[in-house]
Amino acid sequence: MPENSTAAVAGFFLPELPRLLPYAYHPQAAQIEIASNGWVRRFLAESFATEADLLFFLRQRNGIYGPLTVPHADRQRAQDIADWYQYVTVIDSSVSDCSTLGGSAEGAVKVFTQILADFGTGMPTDGEFPYGRAGQDLWRRISPGLSQAQIGRFTASLESFLNGCTVEISAKLRDRTPDYESCMAVRLDSFGCDFIELMTEYGAEVDMTELIPELAEVHLHCRRQMTIFNDLLSWRKERAQDDKMTVVRVLTEVEGLGLQTTVDRLCVLVEEHERAYIAARERLLTGPLGSRPDVRRYLSGLDYLMGGSQEFEYLTPRYFGDGAAWDGSTSGWVDLNAAVTRFRSRP
């Protein structure tokens, strides 16, 4: 077996990253997370094959992602955002599961077409469609808080996310791992970068549509930092599910790097993109746009989005095993084979 084979190693060491951006929990984070879990049970329970599968998902604490990424939002908007992220994470989980959406790209496209219809792109689905009532409830709550321009962007962002998911399914079924930039292009879609930025606007109650060209560099580094870090922390799950569209697999299988070398290189990229994001943000704040309160609120929102997203990925059992309980550590050895792991001081 080759030395750099991902199957030949038992784990990797995650270095301490600088964490230059702030993070905070919404003052009502616990209440929002509990309510969001209840919303999943009410609206999405039929998306799970069994009660055990539903409980497995709820134990991942996906409901805390919203309160961590919009910690200063109005309570109702924070709740809407928490439920939205639960919704797309249910879809993402199904994409990785060959017994559900991940079993057929063509079948997934049919489901995705129905999903889009519930967000204002066609005739809404009926109550029998597993994702239907959830999508319609989200759209009823979120769309009044968006401008017409943002509604158009929302639809396009959801379509990009679903297209990225379709490409990921196809790559897995065909056993094809792409090159780095091809992988990154797909991941920026399947990670939901467009709607993540839009939900940050929704949480801050601003509309940045007219300024998207001016925000291009800030968004570039924000997206890449978040996506690369997610691929690092989710590697245990992605490896176990044999998902192909992850930069860790690209560097180990396509470029032939050892796993630890890959992790070290990606950690360097996370820091480089984080610092480049901060520099680009400061250029905006010290330029003509920096005098606009809406721009300043949005950029502050992006700071907390990035910092909060990283906090979530350290704490979620989604990546460390069902039953994992975070002890606050942000560096250490990660066991790839244990059912449940945590950051350890030694392998």
Side-chain angles (χ1 to χ4, degrees), residues 130-148:
Y131 299 101
R133 289 193 310 118
Q136 291 163 27
D137 179 67
L138 286 168
W139 193 233
R140 175 187 60 78
R141 286 189 276 150
I142 293 173
S143 59
L146 301 175
S147 69
Q148 283 302 308

Side-chain angles (χ1 to χ4, degrees), residues 65 69 187 191 193 196 221-231 270 273 302 305-307 309-310 313:
Y65 187 77
T69 53
R187 289 291 290 124
F191 192 64
C193 290
I196 284 173
H221 295 295
C222 170
R223 291 173 173 215
R224 290 196 169 226
Q225 189 266 12
M226 292 178 64
T227 302
I228 294 169
F229 186 75
N230 176 265
D231 280 12
V270 167
H273 284 300
L302 286 184
L305 165 68
M306 294 171 70
S309 182
Q310 192 163 332
E313 287 164 358

Side-chain angles (χ1 to χ4, degrees), residues 231-267:
D231 280 12
L232 272 170
L233 268 289
S234 67
W235 174 239
R236 289 181 78 253
K237 179 180 83 71
E238 309 294 343
R239 172 179 178 267
Q241 295 174 329
D242 196 32
D243 289 341
K244 304 300 179 183
M245 206 65 64
T246 163
V247 293
V248 178
R249 189 176 293 279
V250 169
L251 293 185
T252 54
E253 293 190 0
V254 177
E255 299 193 17
L257 301 181
L259 179 59
Q260 189 60 54
T261 302
T262 292
V263 169
D264 293 342
R265 177 177 292 189
L266 292 175
C267 284

Side-chain angles (χ1 to χ4, degrees), residues 80 84 220 224 248 331 338:
D80 298 341
W84 164 255
L220 168 69
R224 290 196 169 226
V248 178
S331 174

Side-chain angles (χ1 to χ4, degrees), residues 10 15 74 136 149 294 301 320:
D74 166 81
Q136 291 163 27
D294 58 341
F320 296 97

